[in-house]
Amino acid sequence: MIPAAMAPPRPLVAPDCAPAIPLATLAGSREGLSELSTLVAHVVSSARNTARAAGPLPPGLPQEVLNAARAILGPAQLPECGIGSDVALHRLATALTRHGLDLSHPHAAAHLQPPPLAVAVAADALASAGNASLDTYDSGPATLAVESWVIEVLIRMAGMASGAGGVLTPGGSMSNLLALLLARDHAAGRRGVDARRDGIAALPRPVVLVSAAAHFSVQRACAALGLGEAAVRAVALDHRYRMRADALAAQLGEIDGSSTPVAVVATAGTTDFGSVDPLPQIAEVTAEHGVWLHVDAAYGFGALFSDRMAPLLAGLGAADSVTLDLHKIGWQPAAASAVLVSDPARFAPLERQVAYLNPADDTVAGYDGLLGRSLQTTRRADAVKIAATLLSHGRDGLGLMVDACHDLARHAQRRIDSEPALDLVSPAELSTVVFRYRGSRPGGDGPLNAALRRRLLRSGRALVGRTEVRLDGPAAPPSVCLKLTLLNPTARSQDIDTLLDAVLAAGHEEETA
């Protein structure tokens, strides 16, 4: 018998409509797992045999690419009779391979979006086949054990106390929202307000202090939690785009009894620069003022895999809560985020006793889940892929990947420094380098950098990011800059050189067009 992984592709013939529903239709059954193996082999074969673009993106204007991808699917209507698994998967594999993004390409360097590890993708398929949920014991007991194991590993990595807790979430923005919800209710409790019961109307003038380079999800979370975006106050940065602890102390010192400091949000790995706030000093300031410290380490947490990079996150264990994303530095399929909390009792505002899910007598008998640690009810078993990765690669293997990406960023920095046409804006701290193309066209370099990036996108040959930086002081208008976010540990220094050559060529082409 030919193993499923080696079986030749099956003919792309749509079956007749049939009333019978075979057991192999359901992935969780033994028959379904056998069929799943065949289908995975088929879709992999379809993807491998489909020609893909030479670069990380398909060439062409956006609407042309989108229309071509849609055309492969056929008319946008539900067919009366299905076209069959093989044909459906072949169409999707063709659309995603021919007209999609190739994150494994060494010139894909725009976003915090890594090529995922094969073992994590395989484990994710296993979790999807089981379709367990984490809200109750009887929705998936084994996956509850896997998540608790993963959380304990992450807590130890963070250096938090052994009694800390945590939960996986569907992304860093949701982790920040959850952490700030807990911080809000903690601050309300200190004011004698029951935010869960009465809302926050009685909470006087809430204040959340953040780095001026913090992620925008903090503002969105404050809006969603009823604090209002006006509650967010930026703290000044130093020359390395890090929160200044002295400026934080000064701002906290100016808050009087008419306001309520809800939290300080430090960042370990800003999205634009990869900068890490001085966590030990910030922790001292927040402890002195008795304010909740949340560290958004969505980007930077993975540095803890590396002996070289881990010292950047010294002081993380002193936080009241931590956000981390392993679908950034961690090479997981999205989403693989978590929020860690120093005291699991802080999850109390989320506790719910629901008759059909977790009745009290079942809970007492040990039949409990994680409903009380999440804003979600049904929650997929994202811990499975994380556990597979941690067990498969270990700290040393993942640390080598972190160091490889950091080496690429440092090489990019050196190359940029050596090019007269390029200006280094922010050096490599994690795996991000910000720079700009210095042109001779009147009107500034910002429009030119934006245009050359779009030229690269249209060509499909290189994918670089962009951001805006106030290069001439806080009062000056921001300038468009380019950004490399390097998360492909198999890329080589020659690939980075070729990528920057493409940037230089696009800049020249744009100037002379």
Side-chain angles (χ1 to χ4, degrees), residues 329-387:
I329 297 182
W331 296 278
Q332 298 299 288
S337 183
V339 59
L340 308 179
V341 179
S342 62
D343 180 2
R346 303 280 176 82
F347 282 113
L350 299 174
E351 291 290 346
R352 290 293 183 275
Q353 209 80 52
V354 184
Y356 72 91
L357 287 175
N358 60 342
D361 54 334
D362 275 1
T363 299
V364 170
Y367 294 92
D368 200 8
L370 294 173
L371 179 66
R373 292 199 174 188
S374 176
L375 290 169
Q376 299 170 265
T377 303
T378 301
R379 186 162 61 81
R380 76 185 305 272
D382 288 316
V384 173
K385 61 194 176 193
I386 301 173

Side-chain angles (χ1 to χ4, degrees), residues 175-186:
S175 288
N176 284 341
L177 174 68
L178 181 57
L180 287 172
L181 183 155
L182 301 181
R184 178 200 69 180
D185 287 8
H186 178 68

Side-chain angles (χ1 to χ4, degrees), residues 41-131:
H42 173 64
V43 76
V44 168
S45 175
S46 294
R48 290 183 65 181
N49 292 324
T50 298
R52 68 191 321 162
L57 280 178
L61 293 170
Q63 200 56 53
E64 294 171 348
V65 174
L66 297 175
N67 288 342
R70 279 180 58 104
I72 294 172
L73 301 181
Q77 60 188 38
L78 180 66
E80 288 296 326
C81 180
I83 62 176
S85 301
D86 289 356
V87 179
L89 290 172
H90 180 76
R91 288 188 185 181
L92 285 163
T94 301
L96 269 61
T97 303
R98 185 179 297 164
H99 303 293
L101 168 66
D102 180 7
L103 288 170
S104 67
H105 195 286
H107 294 167
H111 303 294
L112 284 165
Q113 187 180 7
L117 292 166
V119 67
V121 174
D124 209 21
L126 176 64
S128 293
N131 203 31

Side-chain angles (χ1 to χ4, degrees), residues 211 213 235-245 270 275-278 429:
S211 153
V235 180
L237 304 175
D238 64 15
H239 69 286
R240 293 170 58 188
Y241 302 100
R242 305 177 307 171
M243 180 191 290
R244 284 174 41 199
T270 58
S275 50
V276 178
D277 291 339
E429 188 156 6

